[in-house]
Amino acid sequence: MTAQAGSIIPAADPARRQLRRELRAKRRDMPAAARAQADRAIYAQLRHLPEYRRARRVALFLAFVESARRQRKQLYVPVLRGLTMRFAELEPGAKLAANFFGIMEPKLGPRIDARELDLVLTPLVAFDDRGVRLGVGRGYYDRTFKFLRHRSHWRRPKLLGVAYELQRVEPLTPSSWDVPLWGVVTETAVRRF
């Protein structure tokens, strides 16, 4: 795990910015062959997960599209407008364009309310063993899925973090606006919280 053993990183602490920088650098420094092998292992873990197998409407990021399409999933990808994130269906042959972060997204396509998704493959910078997620720091997922904070039992969507083991860190102190993950899949394990 990254960070000192037993250390708690408070939500507003500048250490979060430093942790983001460190983990992004570690991800960037992964050799291409190791990254490709880890990506295949992550998808193998995901493919066997019962919640993934049952899910019909899956929100994901573009790296998983072809594999999920072979599983006959109805696919949705995030579309950012200002501070809002919505999900658009990714139809075969959809025209993609870079958003203001340089992330490819469809310009057109049916939108879906986040509450109608079954499973959301959630990108992250770091996660801990309690399901606290450290994202990129813009709050898109927390704002979009804030309704989940008010549920005692999650039916849908399930937020499943997708990460490498090197992104697992010592306990993070969640902020009041943080939406916890339902689980995380890495190249070596599936963790349910």
Side-chain angles (χ1 to χ4, degrees):
M1 287 190 202
T2 304
Q4 295 177 356
S7 64
I8 300 286
I9 301 174
D13 194 314
R16 280 189 172 222
R17 284 191 298 274
Q18 180 61 29
L19 183 58
R20 282 186 179 101
R21 281 191 293 271
E22 289 173 13
L23 290 173
R24 285 179 178 146
K26 282 185 177 185
R27 267 193 333 215
R28 263 191 318 273
D29 292 345
M30 282 180 75
R35 181 184 287 259
Q37 181 178 356
D39 289 345
R40 286 190 300 275
I42 288 170
Y43 189 71
Q45 297 270 18
L46 180 63
R47 191 174 63 234
H48 293 97
L49 189 65
E51 291 79 7
Y52 178 77
R53 294 170 67 111
R54 284 192 301 264
R56 291 181 302 129
R57 292 175 298 265
V58 177
L60 44 69
F61 35 106
L62 292 175
F64 287 98
V65 167
E66 290 311 313
S67 300
R69 205 176 292 285
R70 286 192 299 271
Q71 300 282 316
R72 300 184 191 271
K73 305 293 183 190
Q74 195 170 356
L75 306 179
Y76 295 86
V77 293
V79 176
L80 306 179
R81 297 290 179 269
L83 295 176
T84 304
M85 180 172 71
R86 296 220 176 6
F87 291 89
E89 187 171 0
L90 186 62
E91 298 171 323
K95 301 273 190 255
L96 302 177
N99 65 18
F100 48 88
F101 289 119
I103 299 168
M104 300 304 284
E105 61 184 30
K107 286 299 175 190
L108 300 172
R111 302 291 197 261
I112 190 172
D113 184 287
R115 290 170 179 84
E116 295 179 46
L117 295 164
D118 298 314
L119 184 68
V120 179
L121 301 185
T122 309
L124 53 86
V125 175
F127 70 94
D128 72 14
D129 287 336
R130 297 171 302 140
V132 178
R133 169 186 173 272
L134 182 65
V136 298
R138 302 289 177 133
Y140 285 101
Y141 280 83
D142 293 318
R143 282 191 300 277
T144 302
F145 295 102
K146 66 184 174 188
F147 63 90
L148 291 173
R149 287 194 319 256
H150 307 292
R151 292 186 182 173
S152 58
H153 300 287
W154 290 7
R155 298 222 187 277
R156 69 178 195 196
K158 288 181 173 33
L159 302 184
L160 182 64
V162 177
Y164 301 115
E165 275 298 320
L166 64 82
Q167 294 171 269
R168 183 175 165 219
V169 298
E170 294 295 328
L172 297 163
T173 301
S175 298
S176 61
W177 58 83
D178 284 343
V179 176
L181 295 167
W182 171 85
V184 170
V185 60
T186 71
E187 69 275 21
T188 63
V190 173
R191 293 174 179 83
R192 292 175 181 89
F193 304 113

